[in-house]
Amino acid sequence: MGGTRWMGRPPLLSDSELVCLAVAQALLGYHSEARWLRYARKHLCGMFPYLPQRAGYNKRLRASLPLVKRMIRELARDSDFWTDTVWLTDSTPVPCGMSRPTVQRSNLAGWAGYGYCASHSRFFWGLRLYLVCTPTGMPIMWALANPKIGEREVLAAMLEVDAELVARREGVLLVSDKGFASKTFEKELAELGIELLRPSLKREKKRYGEPMLKKVRQLIESVNDTLKGQLDLEQHGGRTFEGVAIRVAQRILAMTTGIWHNNQIGAPVTRSLTAYDH
């Protein structure tokens, strides 16, 4: 799949095998890398002739973030959903610590921060995962950010980073919640050729297309539920910048792989991971 070029002797575990191991770990629900490697040595030795020790696997996995991000994009492009002009966006908490001593000692200080989760009415310390996807759940772009950074600011930065992708699309309809409400922001989106569909604020009159918004909004909520319920996003176990980033990317790639494969075989429910989680 055109992975990293290595100088000298090639690694015993190829980049392709590493990515496959990472996806399988996320789909089968192994939070512990040590437990996952024990399972793989017992049940998957025929597929992977060489399996590294835990430290080696962890080191290779943390260094593979660019590769994992590229595979998410490649699989999305290879699906029927890549050209969809309806995009859904939302953010969801990614807790990284549950106690004050953990927060004070964490290597994530300065990147993670305190935020509020309105859907669960609770505060958390960690990051927010911002996801832009199609109605089927296929990721178009994603990012991790400090919860104190505004949602519009993060989304604007995401669109700027992927400016070439946005420029190639025409007539994109972006569905969001009230957190992205701003006349200035909507004007900036319109300049990019993106129309924002969101619920009206209390002081506003009903916006165009609002009656259909509730059902569409449930789609992005179900995508977050897949990441948290089936892929255990909140139990990532990352303690460093690289650790959290790759574990989140690992779960997004697992979901993307499931959607891509279901699309290839013509499965009736493309985001269902039930066939792969046991």
Side-chain angles (χ1 to χ4, degrees):
M1 64 185 180
T4 308
R5 295 187 63 182
W6 297 81
M7 295 181 63
R9 184 183 303 173
L12 296 176
L13 183 73
S14 69
D15 285 344
S16 300
E17 291 173 325
L18 176 68
V19 171
C20 288
L21 272 175
V23 169
Q25 178 187 354
L27 288 173
L28 295 176
Y30 280 85
H31 312 143
S32 166
E33 292 173 354
R35 288 185 59 231
W36 166 240
L37 290 173
R38 285 198 299 270
Y39 173 88
R41 287 192 179 92
K42 184 175 181 180
H43 300 282
L44 305 178
C45 56
M47 302 180 186
F48 303 96
Y50 171 78
L51 288 168
Q53 297 299 317
R54 179 181 177 277
Y57 176 68
N58 182 270
K59 184 178 179 180
R60 284 286 304 279
L61 195 61
R62 283 187 284 118
S64 70
L65 180 59
L67 175 63
V68 171
K69 291 168 68 175
R70 188 166 78 245
M71 286 311 304
I72 294 171
R73 180 59 58 87
E74 290 297 328
L75 289 176
R77 289 187 183 194
D78 192 47
S79 71
D80 294 337
F81 314 122
W82 180 247
T83 56
D84 201 324
T85 55
V86 178
W87 291 354
L88 314 178
T89 186
D90 197 10
S91 66
T92 189
V94 181
C96 298
M98 301 301 292
S99 66
R100 184 62 181 168
T102 300
V103 172
Q104 292 175 332
R105 296 194 305 265
S106 177
N107 291 325
L108 293 168
W111 187 40
Y114 283 102
Y116 182 72
C117 178
S119 59
H120 294 91
S121 302
R122 63 180 172 88
F123 288 92
F124 69 95
W125 187 83
L127 302 162
R128 274 194 174 275
L129 170 62
Y130 288 81
L131 185 66
V132 176
C133 65
T134 68
T136 58
M138 181 62 78
I140 300 295
M141 56 186 78
W142 62 278
L144 288 166
N146 188 299
K148 294 186 182 300
I149 302 177
E151 291 181 317
R152 296 187 297 273
E153 185 179 347
V154 175
L155 182 57
M158 292 168 63
L159 295 173
E160 182 179 353
V161 169
D162 264 318
E164 185 179 348
L165 167 63
V166 176
R168 290 199 222 106
R169 303 297 177 94
E170 293 184 2
V172 173
L173 179 65
L174 181 63
V175 183
S176 72
D177 59 18
K178 295 180 181 180
F180 295 88
S182 166
K183 290 184 178 180
T184 304
F185 183 60
E186 288 188 45
K187 184 178 179 180
E188 293 173 356
L189 291 178
E191 292 174 354
L192 297 174
I194 300 175
E195 180 184 357
L196 184 66
L197 179 60
R198 61 167 177 81
S200 58
L201 302 176
K202 290 183 178 179
R203 62 179 180 273
E204 292 180 317
K205 64 180 181 180
K206 293 294 182 181
R207 293 168 60 88
Y208 172 78
E210 193 166 353
M212 59 167 278
L213 196 56
K214 185 174 182 180
K215 290 184 178 180
V216 177
R217 283 292 305 160
Q218 288 176 346
L219 295 175
I220 187 67
E221 295 294 342
S222 64
V223 172
N224 289 335
D225 186 65
T226 297
L227 288 169
K228 292 191 171 185
Q230 290 184 275
L231 297 174
D232 303 320
L233 177 66
E234 292 189 345
Q235 301 179 50
H236 55 81
R239 299 179 182 178
T240 63
F241 173 86
E242 296 84 359
V244 175
I246 187 57
R247 284 168 174 82
V248 172
Q250 184 180 3
R251 284 156 174 81
I252 295 175
L253 177 58
M255 183 179 70
T256 304
T257 303
I259 296 172
W260 172 84
H261 188 260
N262 288 336
N263 177 234
Q264 296 295 312
I265 64 176
V269 183
T270 53
R271 204 179 65 255
S272 174
L273 304 181
T274 306
Y276 315 114
D277 63 2
H278 58 282

